[in-house]
Amino acid sequence: MIPKSNYAKITTHVLQEMKLKGEKIAMLTAYDFSMARILDEAGIDVILVGDSASNVMSGHTTTLPITLDDMIYHARSVMKAVKRALVVVDLPFGTYQGDSKEALKSSIRIMKESGANAVKLEGGKEILESIERILSAGIPVTGHLGLTPQSIHKFGTYVVRATEEKEAQKLVKDAKLLEAAGCFAIILEKIPARLGAKVTRELRIPIIGIGAGSAVDGQVLVLHDMLGITQKFSPRFLRRYHNLSEEIKGSVQSYIVDVKKVDFPNEREQY
Ligand code: KIV
């Protein structure tokens, strides 16, 4: 039995209602038509076209190299498949931090050229002007605080963020600023569960965690990590639901053997 919520179409208002009702929000990443269709049919609430595509689709070691054109390509493919889920698209590094007008331009391109429902930006106070300008154009925005992978060269490491009181206080302050500006949700990445719970309690908008504990309003994972397509990445917060990498290898090896033995195609598989 699939614990799919009753909503025919997920909107930002539905997510707010889910928080009020205490119904958890399930979110996963997708970057292409075929996977997005499977996720949507399975009943996922939110699909994130994350800039993690830089890692899992393009093989970069960070999220920094992916471009706005790349993100629009992935988002457009996802949108062709999705009927029910809300689709949020990451603004890639370098397309919103410097200038709020550029941030708006980048967001408009994503919304116009892909048909997606919302954008996501990493950061708090530092990018508030960009967030406000995007929101003023009627584009829904998701915030992203805690471990923000676009700042990896500043952090120097992917360790848990906001374990120190000063950083935790800044995170709470930033979350409140994002809510006051009008963000409809915030993603909290790799922070102590206690802090995730505090932000979730103190804010009215949905808080979605990735390594932020179980008290938040919903969870997000990178699809390729939870399916076991990626292999070397295993942070504590990651639950693997499959070992797809090994399963695919096994199928490919069976195919190779069948082709070499001329066992494939058989009589029924030819014209
Ligand atoms: O790009 C991404 O996949 C993300 C998630 C890790 C939240 O931002």
Side-chain angles (χ1 to χ4, degrees):
M1 178 59 185
I2 308 163
K4 186 171 166 178
S5 55
N6 286 323
Y7 301 102
K9 178 84 188 109
I10 306 295
T11 63
T12 58
H13 301 277
V14 165
L15 297 184
Q16 183 67 62
E17 204 175 305
M18 287 169 80
K19 170 155 183 151
L20 289 172
K21 285 185 181 164
E23 180 179 345
K24 297 284 185 183
I25 297 161
M27 179 171 182
L28 282 171
T29 64
Y31 321 98
D32 67 84
F33 173 81
S34 303
M35 286 294 188
R37 186 171 61 184
I38 296 169
L39 265 54
D40 196 50
E41 286 175 1
I44 199 75
D45 297 314
V46 186
I47 290 179
L48 172 65
V49 183
D51 59 358
S52 49
S54 180
N55 307 92
V56 300
M57 300 301 285
S58 304
H60 297 299
T61 52
T62 71
T63 58
L64 275 68
I66 200 162
T67 66
L68 187 58
D69 285 339
D70 293 336
M71 291 304 296
I72 291 170
Y73 164 78
H74 289 299
R76 201 187 279 146
S77 309
V78 165
M79 286 310 292
K80 283 188 190 140
V82 172
K83 293 193 170 74
R84 176 180 175 275
L86 181 88
V87 178
V88 181
V89 182
D90 262 330
L91 279 181
F93 177 68
T95 65
Y96 63 94
Q97 291 94 342
D99 173 350
S100 64
K101 284 191 184 151
E102 192 191 354
L104 177 58
K105 244 193 212 165
S106 307
S107 305
I108 288 177
R109 275 203 63 201
I110 287 178
M111 301 297 282
K112 241 188 200 315
E113 295 177 38
S114 75
N117 309 123
V119 296
K120 174 166 85 61
L121 290 74
E122 295 183 4
K125 189 168 179 283
E126 311 74 21
I127 56 152
L128 197 61
E129 194 185 309
S130 291
I131 289 179
E132 283 169 346
R133 197 179 278 265
I134 297 166
L135 284 163
S136 73
I139 300 172
V141 175
T142 305
H144 184 158
L145 299 170
L147 177 64
T148 45
Q150 291 177 12
S151 304
I152 187 56
H153 295 302
K154 183 174 103 183
F155 296 148
T157 158
Y158 286 99
V159 293
V160 185
R161 303 303 313 176
T163 51
E164 305 283 332
E165 190 52 28
K166 196 169 160 209
E167 194 179 335
Q169 276 179 14
K170 175 169 166 29
L171 188 145
V172 175
K173 216 168 155 186
D174 278 342
K176 289 182 178 172
L177 278 177
L178 296 185
E179 175 174 83
C183 287
F184 73 89
I186 297 175
I187 288 181
L188 295 182
E189 181 163 352
K190 213 168 179 186
I191 59 163
R194 208 174 3 91
L195 184 57
K198 178 179 163 67
V199 177
T200 305
R201 258 194 328 272
E202 294 187 9
L203 268 69
R204 291 179 307 278
I205 57 172
I207 304 299
I208 316 239
I210 172 164
S214 59
V216 290
D217 301 305
Q219 301 291 335
V220 57
L221 285 175
V222 169
L223 184 68
H224 290 58
D225 297 336
M226 63 85 80
L227 290 179
I229 298 173
T230 50
Q231 288 185 299
K232 290 194 178 129
F233 181 66
S234 28
R236 189 197 294 190
F237 67 72
L238 174 61
R239 182 178 295 181
R240 281 194 206 285
Y241 288 82
H242 235 296
N243 190 354
L244 217 50
S245 179
E246 286 309 308
E247 292 206 19
I248 293 172
K249 261 188 228 164
S251 302
V252 171
Q253 283 165 350
S254 301
Y255 169 74
I256 294 169
V257 169
D258 290 351
V259 169
K260 305 271 180 199
K261 286 194 313 195
V262 199
D263 183 50
F264 173 78
N266 63 25
E267 279 301 313
R268 281 169 288 108
E269 290 164 331
Q270 43 191 309
Y271 303 97

